[in-house]
Structures are given as C-alpha cells and as structure tokens.
Amino acid sequence: SNPLIYLIIRLCLILEASGLCSAAWVTARFQKIAMGYQPDGVYLEGEPRHTAEANNRREKDIDRLVLIIKYVASFALLVLSVVIVMTAMFTEQTNASTFGIPSIAAFCIFWFVLIWLGQIEAGQGCLVGLQQIDKERYAESHPVSLMCTKLSHKGDNMERFIVGRQLLVVGIVTTLNMMGAPIAGASVSFLPTVVNQIFLGNSVAMILTTLMLGQLTAQVNGGTALLDMINNYFMLFSTYVSLGIEFSGILHSVYLVQIFFSKITGQPIDSKEPPRNAMQNAFFWGRVLMSCAALGFAFAVTLSALFQGKTSMWAGVPGWVSVIILFALMCFVGMMEGMQIALFAVLNMDKEELKNHAMAYKSCELTFQGDNLQAFLIGRQICVTCCMFVVAKITSCTVAPGESTIFGVSEGLQAFFNTGLLGALITTIVGSLMWRIVASSFSLAFLSNPLIYLIIRLCLILEGSGLCSAAWVTARFQKKMMGYQPDPVYLEGAPRHTSAPTNSREKDIDITVTLVKYMYSMALLVFCITVVMSCIFSNQTKLSSSAPSAVAFVLFWFLLLWLAMIEGGQGALVGLQPLDKNLYEDSHPIAHKCTVIAHKGDNMERFIVGRQFLVVLIVFVTNMSGAALPGTTVLGLPSILNSIFIGSGVAMMLTTI
C-alpha cells in the first residue's frame, strides 16, 4: 500500500521498455541454442523438445533481428567490396594494368565475365534439373530454353557440357583475377591501411564480389526458376562454348581417370550413345594423349615458375611452400567438388545400408537435416571460390618484359603463361573433375573420410555467419527486375508471382529493405536538422546574422509547424467534403467549424488559392530563417559535405520536406 511501490514499479517498467538491457534477451537466445536448454515441461510432462526454431514471439523477433543484421552487414560488405575493386581498377592498381589493358576496357570485361559466370553457374543446375521434364510442356512458353535442353540432353552431351563448363568457370575466375585483382602495394586512399590490407592485399573484395554477384545470386533464382533462367541466347551460347571446350580435347585426360576407375570397380561407364567406331576411337585417344601432354606441360611451367619465385604468390613465401599450398588447396577444392556428387549419389540409398558406413551416415545425417543442404551448398561455394582465387594467385606467372622467361620461351609465349590459363587447366582437371569421378565411383568410401564431416561443418558455419547473406537480397532484386517465375507457373498452371513476397525469406528481405530505408532516411533527417540548427546558432543564416539566434530558431520551427498544418489541412478538408458534418460535430467541434467555413459555397476553391500563396510565403520566410549564407561551414564537416548539404541547400530542403 506504500505509494512509492507503485512509482518504483513504473520506473522499472520504463527502464525495461527503454531497451537499455534488451541485449540480454538476445544473448539468452544464443545461450539456449548453444547449451541445448529445454523447458521443464519436456522432461516432466513429455512436451515436444525445443529445437533451434523460435518457440514464441520474442524468439521470432530476435531471430528476425539477427537475420536483418546479417542482410544489412553482408550487403554493406558487398557494396564496400565493389567500390574497392572499381576504385583500384580505375586507378590502374589491378593486374589489368600490368597487361596494358585500359581501365574502361578492364571494367567492361570484368562485368561481362561476372554476368557470364552467374549464367553458367545457375545454368548447369537448370539443365540438370530439367532432364526429367517433358520438353513439350515448355516448348511454346520457353523456346530458347527448349533449344538449350535439346542440345545439352542429346546423347552424352550433359556430361560433356559439365566437363567443358568446369574449365570455362575456372577460366572466367582467372579472367576476373586478371581484370580486378590488385597488384602488390595497391591501396585505396580513403581507407585505413588495415582495411586495404584485408580487402586488397588478401583479395577479399574480389572474392566477395565474385561470390555474391557472380555466383550465388543467380544460383538462388536458378534453384526455382529453371526455365526462365536459361531462356536466353546467352545461355545457348554458353552451352555451345562449353561443348566446344570439351570437343577440343584439352580436358580429355579426365576420361583416362574415368576409364581407370571403371576397370578397377568393374562398373561399366554409363552412356546414351552407341560404342565408338575405329575412327572415333582414334580421334578420342588422340585427344586424350594431347590432353595429358598439355597437363604435363602446364605442371612443368607452373612448378618451374613457383620454384623460381615468378608467380603472383605473396612475397616471402618459399617455392616449396607454395607448391605444398597449391596441392593442399587443390585437394581441398577436389573434396568439396566430390562431396556434392557423393551426397546426391547416396540421397536415395537404403538407410540401413548407409548405416553400415558410420562416418558416411553421420555426414549425410548432418547435411540432409532441415535446411542444411542448401546452407551446405552456399558454404561450399564460398570455400571453393576462395580457394580458386588463391590457386589463381599461386599459379599466375609474373614475368615482366625483359626478364628471363620460363624455359627461355619467347616473350609472346611468356605473356600467355602470365594469363594464368595453365593454372586454370591444372585446377580444372586435378582439382575438380578427377575428384568428381572418384566420388561418383566410390560415393560411400569418399564420404567415410572424417575430413568430409569437418568440411561440411565448416561450410555450415560459413553460411550461418551471414558473410554472403546479401546474395539473397540481390537475388530478390534480380527476381523482381527480370520477372522470374517458378517452373510450376508454366508447367502446372500455378499462380504467377508478383512483387509481393511469397515466402518467409522474401518477407524478411522486404522488411529489411524497408527498415534500412527508414533508418537511413531518419539518420539523414537528424543530420540535416543538426546542420540547419548549427547554421542558425552560429549566426550564419540571413535572419540570425541580423537578429538573435533564438528569434530565428523560434520563427523557423513555428513556420515549419504552420506549413505542416496547412499542407495536411488541405487534404483533410477535401477528404471530408462528402461526409455528413453531424457525424463528427460532437467529437471534433473545431474540425466541424473548419469544414463549415471551408465547405460553404465556393470557399473550398478560395481556400486552395489563398493557401497556395501562404505556403510559398512560409517557405520564403523559412528560407530566410534557416538557409545558410554563402561560404558557411559548420561542425568541421568535409568540404564536399558542406557543399552538398549547405551550399546546395539540401539540408534545408530535406528538413522542410
């Protein structure tokens, strides 16, 4: 009954509502997940166990907050990375400048191959996914998609496409590295040294840009909109290029590995084509020999360059260490390439048979639990791309004109070595395709490697970190811009998707975008008001320079409130015209008086005319009170901000609006 108790309760509620310690709810959520805490009802009353999924409104809000932070932070990281790469490119601090390529040409090549990378990364999944779909069902709606699938699904062309596409992907990554990777000592002037070292020195900016814009964005949409994604001539062109690369025979050494494993396992090689005749066999084995010779030559050049310290490997790393790192990375990439094949190979395997291989079973249980498969694929892509860039850095020769060349070749041939394409050939065959064949032939044995389980864990952690969450946001924008529709819209007559979100992730992204708009607009408003008030109280406006600052301040806010009232008032008076005034006479007597006057005769038209002059007059007087004098500077702002917000009147305009 002590009145102070009531006041103390109020104080406690205000303190909690202030959010001062709201982080405790977030840390408690993390603790619950990390420790696996369960409510007592699980043990005492047999209630269902709690998982990582949210169980109440507060947990849902916390999970959404964490997701929003991931999206915002990842998108900011992406924007920063793109800005850094473009700045380095236009200040001639990338590898393109060492090849004498102008900045504008490097810019065009960079974005062209980045878009191409996205197309072929998503395109492979689309072509594989459409193999079981009757082509007549989309022949009319997607004629170019039909051309792509007819070409790639003919005979063994799908396998040929995958082989050729792999070299194309590695070649594109190598080209991106040529155009955008920084040279030694590159720096962006407006960034601290540590940021330059991380994003330029370690190529993090290039990796994040390639990952999110060149791979994951298209792959996200390609997972549902298979028909729309490949319904363009660029994909048809890419299919022909991939098949052409395979036909050239440069990768045929991988078939030697395939034949070898077929012999030792006793499993015939699946084929949709009749056996090769004598001429076809001669042509095939000739290309195998040529591919083996090319691979051996690529190894000889690359290893020689590494031991001579003539690659773009980080300075101070001994040649033998570079070689060890190269083979370790190729093994790591190979395991991740093979994992994807092996996991899908055992997807429909009998569970009891799978349990006979404990490590493989454990890896599969982890991968196929909940949404882990998609998370694993994204994390795997992050790992593969990071390794690809490091491998490209290790294997790219850097022999300047006038220096002694590898094996004493001509400078023209050395310039070809410098492109890094020999390293791309090694990576494609030894670091990717060979491992895919091994994983396809020995899926269970491959997954029984304990390292596979650890790699899956690493991939899940990388995806869970939110490092590349911006890819979901850019995929949402791409879907809206390109009008992608999921396949059931065309194949089953499902309703078309509009710009409205269709699942919880799209809702979260739209909420994030809206929240970011509110936040940056509010921050801009607060900044503008601060600038205007600083101008007034430093006597740097027309009125405050000849009258007390307090007068200018009071007049400014009075006029701003008056302007708000008459701007909103006009709409209110117009909107209330059809309503019976008796409905609000008692509840809103002053509103009733306003409408009686304004709606009498032609007064509404007269009000609008007179109000327009009043608005213009208020804006002029407000401008006198708050607009800065020429040459005004406040708050020690950089000259460019002074010019934009004060010199151009942006601060006054945004505050008034």
Side-chain angles (χ1 to χ4, degrees):
S1 296
N2 185 342
L4 286 176
I5 299 299
Y6 180 80
L7 296 177
I8 291 171
I9 293 172
R10 279 288 183 192
L11 174 63
C12 293
L13 293 175
I14 290 170
L15 284 173
E16 195 282 333
S18 71
L20 187 66
C21 293
S22 290
W25 296 105
V26 182
T27 52
R29 174 84 173 117
F30 293 156
Q31 183 190 41
K32 178 184 175 184
I33 294 174
M35 303 300 293
Y37 288 151
Q38 299 291 329
D40 294 345
V42 171
Y43 310 107
L44 304 179
E45 300 169 14
E47 293 178 357
R49 290 182 67 86
H50 285 194
T51 63
E53 297 294 322
N55 290 281
N56 53 53
R57 176 65 181 273
R58 190 185 294 278
E59 289 187 352
K60 288 179 182 177
D61 289 342
I62 291 170
D63 288 359
R64 175 165 284 171
L65 170 66
V66 172
L67 197 59
I68 287 172
I69 291 172
K70 286 182 181 179
Y71 288 146
V72 173
S74 178
F75 197 79
L77 209 57
L78 173 60
V79 171
L80 176 64
S81 297
V82 173
V83 169
I84 289 173
V85 172
M86 294 300 102
T87 303
M89 191 178 292
F90 281 101
T91 54
E92 298 186 344
Q93 297 185 82
T94 67
N95 288 335
S97 62
T98 63
F99 289 95
I101 301 173
S103 297
I104 188 65
F107 173 84
C108 294
I109 294 171
F110 179 88
W111 286 105
F112 171 75
V113 295
L114 196 68
I115 294 169
W116 194 3
L117 180 62
Q119 182 66 73
I120 60 175
E121 284 285 14
Q124 173 181 288
C126 295
L127 291 173
V128 171
L130 289 169
Q131 286 184 101
Q132 307 303 321
I133 305 296
D134 182 5
K135 294 174 176 54
E136 293 300 320
R137 296 175 67 185
Y138 56 86
E140 293 185 9
S141 62
H142 294 77
V144 185
S145 295
L146 179 66
M147 295 166 69
C148 293
T149 54
K150 274 189 172 181
L151 175 63
S152 60
H153 297 165
K154 182 180 179 182
D156 292 332
N157 277 1
M158 195 67 236
E159 183 180 348
R160 296 185 183 107
F161 168 82
I162 291 172
V163 169
R165 169 207 161 273
Q166 192 62 33
L167 180 60
L168 183 57
V169 167
V170 177
I172 287 176
V173 171
T174 303
T175 305
L176 286 169
N177 195 58
M178 285 173 56
M179 297 300 111
I183 58 176
S187 65
V188 176
S189 59
F190 56 82
L191 293 175
T193 304
V194 65
V195 176
N196 274 311
Q197 182 59 39
I198 294 171
F199 284 88
L200 280 174
N202 296 321
S203 297
V204 170
M206 267 296 297
I207 292 171
L208 292 178
T209 302
T210 304
L211 257 175
M212 289 190 265
L213 295 182
Q215 293 176 310
L216 295 178
T217 295
Q219 286 178 352
V220 167
N221 284 322
T224 55
L226 285 72
L227 289 170
D228 281 348
M229 181 60 69
I230 63 172
N231 194 41
N232 58 80
Y233 287 100
F234 196 24
M235 184 62 206
L236 184 62
F237 165 75
S238 302
T239 306
Y240 275 113
V241 171
S242 298
L243 292 174
I245 291 172
E246 192 278 341
F247 180 78
S248 71
I250 194 71
L251 300 171
H252 268 50
S253 56
V254 75
Y255 294 130
L256 194 62
V257 179
Q258 185 183 41
I259 293 169
F260 172 76
F261 277 102
S262 174
K263 295 294 183 184
I264 65 173
T265 59
Q267 297 177 352
I269 299 172
D270 291 332
S271 176
K272 300 176 183 176
E273 296 179 352
R276 291 186 290 268
N277 57 35
M279 185 175 292
Q280 289 172 332
N281 260 326
F283 185 49
F284 173 79
W285 284 106
R287 287 182 291 174
V288 170
L289 289 174
M290 181 268 291
S291 176
C292 290
L295 180 61
F297 180 72
F299 263 119
V301 171
T302 302
L303 293 177
S304 176
L306 283 171
F307 282 115
Q308 294 178 47
K310 293 182 177 180
T311 72
S312 54
M313 184 60 170
W314 288 279
V317 180
W320 64 273
V321 174
S322 299
V323 172
I324 292 173
I325 293 173
L326 172 63
F327 280 95
L329 285 175
M330 285 199 295
C331 290
F332 185 63
V333 170
M335 280 192 284
M336 285 188 289
E337 292 283 6
M339 282 164 62
Q340 185 176 4
I341 302 297
L343 285 168
F344 282 108
V346 302
L347 182 60
N348 297 313
M349 185 177 288
D350 182 66
K351 197 169 185 179
E352 294 304 316
E353 182 183 351
L354 193 58
K355 283 183 178 179
N356 293 330
H357 302 78
M359 201 67 237
Y361 179 73
K362 188 176 180 181
S363 296
C364 292
E365 282 286 288
L366 176 62
T367 305
F368 298 124
Q369 179 183 347
D371 295 329
N372 279 3
L373 178 59
Q374 192 174 38
F376 159 73
L377 293 174
I378 291 175
R380 170 197 161 277
Q381 190 68 65
I382 296 172
C383 287
V384 169
T385 303
C386 291
C387 292
M388 287 289 190
F389 271 99
V390 178
V391 169
K393 191 176 186 70
I394 294 173
T395 58
S396 296
C397 298
T398 55
V399 178
E403 293 182 9
S404 60
T405 60
I406 307 297
F407 300 142
V409 300
S410 65
E411 289 197 353
L413 186 55
Q414 184 59 57
F416 171 73
F417 293 169
N418 288 353
T419 62
L421 292 178
L422 294 180
L425 179 65
I426 294 170
T427 307
T428 302
I429 297 175
V430 180
S432 177
L433 295 176
M434 286 185 176
W435 291 83
R436 285 173 176 244
I437 290 171
V438 174
S440 178
S441 301
F442 304 99
S443 301
L444 286 173
F446 192 90
L447 292 174
S448 295
N449 184 344
L451 285 176
I452 298 298
Y453 183 82
L454 296 178
I455 291 172
I456 294 171
R457 280 285 183 195
L458 173 63
C459 293
L460 294 176
I461 290 170
L462 282 174
E463 195 281 333
S465 70
L467 184 67
C468 291
S469 292
W472 295 103
V473 182
T474 52
R476 176 83 172 118
F477 294 155
Q478 185 191 45
K479 179 184 176 183
K480 284 184 178 181
M481 184 173 66
M482 303 300 292
Y484 288 148
Q485 298 291 329
D487 292 344
V489 171
Y490 308 107
L491 303 178
E492 301 168 12
R496 289 183 68 87
H497 285 192
T498 64
S499 59
T502 56
N503 54 51
S504 59
R505 187 182 293 278
E506 290 187 351
K507 288 179 183 177
D508 289 338
I509 290 171
D510 287 0
I511 289 172
T512 302
V513 172
T514 303
L515 183 63
V516 169
K517 287 179 181 178
Y518 289 151
M519 290 175 65
Y520 89 76
S521 180
M522 188 68 186
L524 203 59
L525 174 60
V526 170
F527 176 72
C528 289
I529 292 173
T530 303
V531 168
V532 172
M533 294 300 101
S534 298
C535 291
I536 290 175
F537 284 103
S538 61
N539 301 318
Q540 296 186 81
T541 69
K542 190 171 183 180
L543 184 59
S544 64
S545 63
S546 56
S549 300
V551 173
F553 172 82
V554 171
L555 183 60
F556 177 86
W557 286 107
F558 171 75
L559 292 172
L560 211 60
L561 292 172
W562 192 5
L563 178 63
M565 176 56 70
I566 59 175
E567 285 287 9
Q570 174 180 292
L573 290 172
V574 171
L576 288 169
Q577 280 182 296
L579 295 182
D580 182 1
K581 295 176 178 55
N582 293 324
L583 294 174
Y584 54 86
E585 182 178 5
D586 293 335
S587 60
H588 294 77
I590 300 177
H592 180 265
K593 290 180 181 179
C594 292
T595 54
V596 167
I597 296 171
H599 297 165
K600 184 179 180 182
D602 293 332
N603 277 3
M604 196 64 230
E605 184 177 347
R606 297 185 183 103
F607 167 79
I608 292 172
V609 171
R611 168 205 161 277
Q612 194 60 38
F613 175 75
L614 183 58
V615 166
V616 174
L617 180 63
I618 290 174
V619 169
F620 269 91
V621 179
T622 303
N623 194 61
M624 284 177 55
S625 304
L629 296 170
T632 296
T633 59
V634 295
L635 305 173
L637 295 175
S639 58
I640 187 170
L641 291 182
N642 274 311
S643 178
I644 293 171
F645 286 92
I646 299 176
S648 300
V650 170
M652 264 296 294
M653 284 188 280
L654 290 179
T655 302
T656 304
I657 291 170

